[in-house]
């Protein structure tokens, strides 16, 4: 959260909800109310919008840029990044000489999007470009010597590593004397950068730019800006038009959301402007993937995170590693539809593979949580390495603990982990590798990857328990921060529309949670894939009726209470979403939790 935001205790007196959570008020001191009113008056927005901004620590002078973020107001000077000027000069030289450039990326969304951005940018300026995304199982993460040499063998005199490369000094040495190397990466660095021409990474130990929350696609965009600036100085555009880099912002928005970067400052401007580009559906690959997913509404951060992202990721998880990149580069609409259909099918296959592992992984995690482990580490024979990261995220959400999941094959374990706010899992994994427990390992504070001999799994678990011991004091479920109280009748489409003005929502700008008090379940049934969600209609004590949805609703106290329809009043908490149908607006509450309404609301 930005400075000034905070929480206070006991929203509606709920200390343990049906979902096992505490409900906390976002701090709503009188000063925040006054600040919210002042913001609303200056910007001409509803008072609720001003109060939500104030509760997030957004001051009156910053509120306009938050509500309408622009690149002009928020973009940093690319030269603030160490090595950026050297990288831009080398890229500009490659463009001027029309050199062949190799682009080596990662197999996740950020890797595909940042690779697509650099490939399109350079091709648009006349450079021949070859690209490579490594196979997760056969090659693993990051640059490898055979693939790099193959690029050089195809004529690449400059190789650009995007979303990888910071920790690949040994592999990058394989092309020394064959090609120059530029690294555009944001992963945590352990020591000095590799001995290459330029390593642009805001998370280098010696970088003081303060831009450590950019994803690789954001860095690639700044590299393109800096390269255009260098070419402009050289007079390259005297006889030709400059490309409009804003056309690449849909790729940056997609990657920023899917890599869970904080949606504040420059990142917020990138996503807001990128979603506008995406809404035009000019990129055939994204348009085809939206069509395959039957996503007809204007794209949002949710579209990126829950519709596009999983499908682009699916190729790298269990299909062909470069399918996502190929889709983002495809210019023929018919071919893009074919690729999008394949990715959609691979994503359904990924869901089946995930479901086959999830139940056993959850049982093992439940036993570890009951035993008091600070961190959870579960592993199984032949669990697919392409889904362990997703399952680690599910376990983290369920138990509110740093969680790691690994698949074991031929005596070797390979896995991924996800963490909770405030606990740096990436640093813990790096420390375990440095201690000789892991064969490989690295990542971010919130996510990490690792591999090790299976016989060392217990030692790794003990190391994580010790390193992340603070997690043992966390509640069994993450606290839910509530920002306002409504009646059923007060949950209107107009209110939902006002709240939408704070979008895009995501990490660093969480979607507001409202508590709807004393609601009774008038109707409830399971819907969706294998009945995995619950649709409800809520009735209020003072009248009104409200549609609600609970997604990913496993058996348990929360689901049981909603399906019981026993007339007991409930406080329900969730996000207000406006829905459009046949030209009219309605409202839906996307449920996050519920509690018995056995006391009067505060």
């Amino acid at each position: 959260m930005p400075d000034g935001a905070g929480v206070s205790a006991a929203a509606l007196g709920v200390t343990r909800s049906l979902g096992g959570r505490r409900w906390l008020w976002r701090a709503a001191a009188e000063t925040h109310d006054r600040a919210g009113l002042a913001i609303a008056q200056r910007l001409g927005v509803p008072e609720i919008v001003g109060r939500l901004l104030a509760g997030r620590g957004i001051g009156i002078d910053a509120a306009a840029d938050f509500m309408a973020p622009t690149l002009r107001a928020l973009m940093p000077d690319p030269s603030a990044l160490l090595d950026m000027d050297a990288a831009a000069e080398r890229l500009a030289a490659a463009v001027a000489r029309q050199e062949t450039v190799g682009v080596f990326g990662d197999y996740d969304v950020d890797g595909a999007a940042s690779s697509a951005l650099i490939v399109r940018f350079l091709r648009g300026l006349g450079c021949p470009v070859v690209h490579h995304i490594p196979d997760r199982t056969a090659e693993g993460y990051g640059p490898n010597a055979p693939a790099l040499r193959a690029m050089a063998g195809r004529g690449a005199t400059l190789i650009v590593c995007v979303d990888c490369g910071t920790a690949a000094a040994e592999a990058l040495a394989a092309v020394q004397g064959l090609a120059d190397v530029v690294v555009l990466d944001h992963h945590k660095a352990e020591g000095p950068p590799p001995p290459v021409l330029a390593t642009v990474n805001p998370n280098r130990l010696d970088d003081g730019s303060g831009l450590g929350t950019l994803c690789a696609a954001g860095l690639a965009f700044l590299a393109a800006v800096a390269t255009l600036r260098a070419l402009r100085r050289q007079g390259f555009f005297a006889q030709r038009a400059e490309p409009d880099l804003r056309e690449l912002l849909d790729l940056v928005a997609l990657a920023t959301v899917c890599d869970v970067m904080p949606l504040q400052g420059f990142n917020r401007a990138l996503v807001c402007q990128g979603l506008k580009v995406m809404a035009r559906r000019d990129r055939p690959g994204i348009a085809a993937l939206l069509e395959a997913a039957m996503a007809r509404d204007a794209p949002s951060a949710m579209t990126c995170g829950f519709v596009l992202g999983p499908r682009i990721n699916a190729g790298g998880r269990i299909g062909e590693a470069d399918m996502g990149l190929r889709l983002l580069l495809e210019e023929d609409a018919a071919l893009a539809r074919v690729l999008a259909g394949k990715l959609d099918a691979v994503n359904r296959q990924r869901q089946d593979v995930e479901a086959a592992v999830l139940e056993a992984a959850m049982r093992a995690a439940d036993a570890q949580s009951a035993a008091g482990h600070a961190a959870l580490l579960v592993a199984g024979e032949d669990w697919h390495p392409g889904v362990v990261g997703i399952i680690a995220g599910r376990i983290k959400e369920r138990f509110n603990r740093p969680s790691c999941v690994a698949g074991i094959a031929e005596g070797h374990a390979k896995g991924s982990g996800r963490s909770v706010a405030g606990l740096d899992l990436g640093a813990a994994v790096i420390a375990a590798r440095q201690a000789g427990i892991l064969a490989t390992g690295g990542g971010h504070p919130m996510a990490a990857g690792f591999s090790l001999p299976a016989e060392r799994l217990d030692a790794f678990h003990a190391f994580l328990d010790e390193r992340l011991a603070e997690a043992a004091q966390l509640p069994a479920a993450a606290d839910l921060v509530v920002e306002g109280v409504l009646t059923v009748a007060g949950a209107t489409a107009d209110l939902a529309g006002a709240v939408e003005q704070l979008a895009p929502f995501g990490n660093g700008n969480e979607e507001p949670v409202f508590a709807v008090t004393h609601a009774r379940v008038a109707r409830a049934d399971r819907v969706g894939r294998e009945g995995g969600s619950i649709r409800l209609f809520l009735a209020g004590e003072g009248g009104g009726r409200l549609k609600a949805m609970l997604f990913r609703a496993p058996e348990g106290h929360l689901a049981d209470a909603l399906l019981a329809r026993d007339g007991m009043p409930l406080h329900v908490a969730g996000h207000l979403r406006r829905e459009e149908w046949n030209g009219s607006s309605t409202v839906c509450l996307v449920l996050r939790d519920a509690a018995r309404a056995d006391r009067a609301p505060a």
Side-chain angles (χ1 to χ4, degrees):
M1 288 178 196
D3 291 342
V7 294
S8 57
L12 301 176
V14 177
T15 56
R16 184 173 178 80
S17 68
L18 291 166
R21 299 178 177 218
R22 292 185 303 175
W23 291 8
L24 304 179
W25 295 119
R26 189 182 291 275
E30 185 178 347
T31 54
H32 287 164
D33 291 338
R34 289 199 302 269
L37 180 59
I39 291 171
Q41 290 174 340
R42 177 178 290 191
L43 299 186
V45 296
E47 185 176 345
I48 182 64
V49 175
R51 290 176 59 191
L52 290 170
L53 287 169
R56 282 161 166 68
I58 307 298
I60 191 167
D61 293 330
D65 281 339
F66 185 90
M67 293 294 290
T70 63
L71 298 183
R72 181 183 296 275
L74 296 169
M75 188 170 76
D77 181 354
S79 295
L81 287 150
L82 202 61
D83 273 5
M84 178 61 90
D85 288 342
E89 290 294 336
R90 183 63 184 88
L91 285 163
V95 171
R97 295 193 291 256
Q98 301 292 277
E99 296 177 55
T100 296
V101 180
V103 175
F104 190 106
D106 186 21
Y107 38 64
D108 68 356
V109 175
D110 191 20
S114 54
S115 297
L117 190 155
I118 292 295
V119 171
R120 281 189 171 275
F121 171 67
L122 292 174
R123 283 180 177 168
L125 292 171
C127 280
V129 183
V130 296
H131 52 77
H132 182 76
I133 301 292
D135 181 89
R136 181 188 295 263
T137 302
E139 297 174 83
Y141 167 79
N144 63 83
L148 294 171
R149 289 198 193 98
M151 282 185 168
R154 295 169 68 186
T157 50
L158 171 64
I159 294 175
V160 183
C161 296
V162 283
D163 202 25
C164 60
T166 297
E170 184 177 347
L172 295 175
V175 289
Q176 189 171 6
L178 300 176
D180 290 329
V181 175
V182 166
V183 170
L184 303 175
D185 193 10
H186 68 133
H187 289 87
K188 185 182 289 290
E190 301 175 50
V196 297
L197 188 145
T199 298
V200 182
N201 184 339
N203 292 305
R204 279 176 58 163
L205 300 179
D206 54 351
D207 185 278
S209 66
L211 297 173
T213 60
L214 286 175
C215 68
L219 291 171
F221 181 78
L222 287 181
V225 171
T227 302
L228 279 194
R229 190 165 60 185
L231 288 167
R232 200 178 298 126
R233 286 195 301 265
Q234 298 169 14
F236 183 80
F237 296 110
Q239 303 297 325
R240 62 186 295 169
E242 289 190 25
D244 186 350
L245 296 184
R246 292 174 299 181
E247 299 302 313
L248 301 171
L249 287 174
D250 56 341
L251 298 171
V252 185
L254 174 65
T256 300
V257 172
C258 292
D259 230 38
V260 200
M261 298 293 105
L263 300 186
Q264 301 167 7
F266 182 44
N267 276 344
R268 183 170 169 82
L270 290 170
V271 173
C272 284
Q273 300 306 319
L275 290 174
K276 293 177 183 177
V277 175
M278 192 180 293
R280 300 202 299 264
R281 304 196 180 208
D282 290 338
R283 192 173 306 283
I286 288 181
L289 202 54
L290 290 169
E291 181 183 335
M294 295 185 289
R296 299 181 179 87
D297 295 335
S300 65
M302 284 190 61
T303 309
C304 294
F306 295 96
V307 177
L308 297 173
R311 288 168 170 81
I312 292 172
N313 259 335
R317 292 189 184 281
I318 63 171
E320 299 169 38
D322 66 346
M323 284 180 72
L325 173 58
R326 284 157 45 205
L327 177 73
L328 295 177
L329 291 175
E330 184 54 64
E331 297 183 359
D332 183 277
L335 292 177
R337 283 193 290 272
V338 172
L339 264 176
K342 289 181 178 178
L343 276 172
D344 191 53
V346 171
N347 187 55
R348 289 195 297 272
Q349 182 185 352
R350 187 270 306 168
Q351 291 171 330
D352 293 336
V353 171
E354 178 189 334
V357 176
L358 183 61
E359 185 177 352
M362 279 291 183
R363 282 199 306 269
D366 190 32
Q368 291 182 10
S369 176
H373 284 278
L376 307 179
L377 171 61
V378 299
E381 289 285 346
D382 298 323
W383 287 0
H384 198 292
V387 301
V388 292
I390 298 173
I391 292 170
R394 299 270 194 269
I395 292 174
K396 183 263 296 186
E397 290 173 8
R398 175 79 66 87
F399 298 101
N400 197 35
R401 294 283 186 276
S403 302
C404 295
V405 180
I408 301 172
E410 298 179 355
H412 201 77
K414 185 175 182 180
S416 293
R418 299 293 183 268
S419 193
V420 296
L423 292 172
D424 192 335
L425 180 60
V429 166
I430 289 170
R433 181 175 56 73
Q434 293 171 337
I437 297 171
L438 300 178
T440 64
H444 307 290
M446 299 298 287
F450 57 89
S451 68
L452 71 164
E455 65 266 19
R456 293 186 197 159
L457 281 166
D458 287 343
F460 181 39
H461 198 177
F463 186 94
L464 290 175
D465 275 340
E466 181 178 354
R467 182 87 181 198
L468 303 171
E470 298 171 59
Q473 307 306 315
L474 293 172
D479 295 330
L480 188 67
V481 178
V482 176
E483 301 203 43
V485 175
L486 305 169
T487 62
V488 168
T492 65
D494 286 344
L495 178 58
V499 173
E500 280 177 8
Q501 295 181 53
L502 276 73
F505 298 117
N507 179 28
N509 182 40
E510 287 75 16
E511 187 173 4
V513 173
F514 293 94
V516 178
T517 60
H518 292 91
R520 287 180 167 80
V521 179
R523 176 182 160 194
D525 50 5
R526 284 198 172 274
V527 295
R529 183 183 170 98
E530 298 179 358
S533 301
I534 297 175
R535 179 179 55 195
L536 308 104
F537 291 91
L538 305 172
E541 284 190 328
R545 193 173 177 88
L546 176 64
K547 177 187 172 183
M549 289 291 301
L550 178 65
F551 296 103
R552 289 211 309 251
E555 302 295 334
H557 297 303
L558 177 57
D560 292 346
L562 296 176
L563 292 168
R565 289 170 289 175
D566 56 9
M568 285 287 294
L570 299 171
H571 300 322
V572 294
H575 310 297
L576 281 183
R577 303 261 176 86
R578 186 169 55 168
E579 298 182 336
E580 301 290 337
W581 181 253
N582 285 338
S584 62
S585 295
T586 58
V587 65
C588 177
L589 182 72
V590 177
L591 279 177
R592 294 284 304 279
D593 204 357
R596 297 287 184 186
D598 55 358
R599 52 177 60 86

